[in-house]
Amino acid sequence: QVQLVESGGGSVQAGGSLRLSCAASGYTFSNYCMGWFRQAPGKEREGVASISAGGGGTSYTDSVEGRFTISRDNAKRTLYLQMNSLKPEDTAMYFCAAGSGALVSRCSDVKRINYWGQGTQVTVSS
């Protein structure tokens, strides 16, 4: 069955960096877009970044543009999110997600996601 397993979360001070990873198995990873979503307590899950199946297309929510970088290694079946200049408002549970098609737009919304990871907590202190 499909499995998405995140790692790399933790606690950092504002201005610090973290790198999240997501190991995928159980489906043809290179055929589908991937995304990172996050959910803070009491808030809805929101898209953070997405990447097309081949890796050539990316999209970011405005609040992380220029600070976060999404990437993927199809040979290793792994998705990454490099997070720099972290802010307290980045604190949330971060989820890896597999979309319903190859294009980055197929990973831009929770309604277009086929599979979710279990999440990894990111906490940024001021």
Side-chain angles (χ1 to χ4, degrees):
Q1 72 276 21
V2 174
Q3 282 194 317
L4 301 173
V5 180
E6 301 98 333
S7 61
S11 297
V12 295
Q13 290 191 327
S17 298
L18 284 173
R19 189 193 196 202
L20 305 183
S21 298
C22 172
S25 61
Y27 73 108
T28 307
F29 180 76
S30 58
N31 284 358
Y32 295 92
C33 65
M34 295 292 293
W36 287 99
F37 290 73
R38 66 186 179 187
Q39 188 167 19
K43 295 188 176 181
E44 292 186 353
R45 191 169 297 190
E46 65 168 349
V48 175
S50 54
I51 187 167
S52 62
T58 58
S59 178
Y60 299 90
T61 192
D62 288 347
S63 62
V64 308
E65 184 81 52
R67 299 188 297 122
F68 291 10
T69 302
I70 189 171
S71 62
R72 65 190 294 163
D73 186 331
N74 285 347
K76 294 183 178 179
R77 305 172 60 84
T78 303
L79 176 72
Y80 303 99
L81 185 68
Q82 178 66 44
M83 304 186 294
N84 298 329
S85 302
L86 282 161
K87 303 176 181 180
E89 51 263 44
D90 295 318
T91 295
M93 185 73 78
Y94 282 71
F95 297 90
C96 169
S100 53
L103 299 178
V104 68
S105 60
R106 304 301 292 179
C107 285
S108 61
D109 187 279
V110 294
K111 297 178 181 178
R112 296 185 169 189
I113 297 302
N114 283 345
Y115 301 103
W116 296 95
Q118 83 288 350
T120 186
Q121 179 67 36
V122 172
T123 302
V124 185
S125 58
S126 58

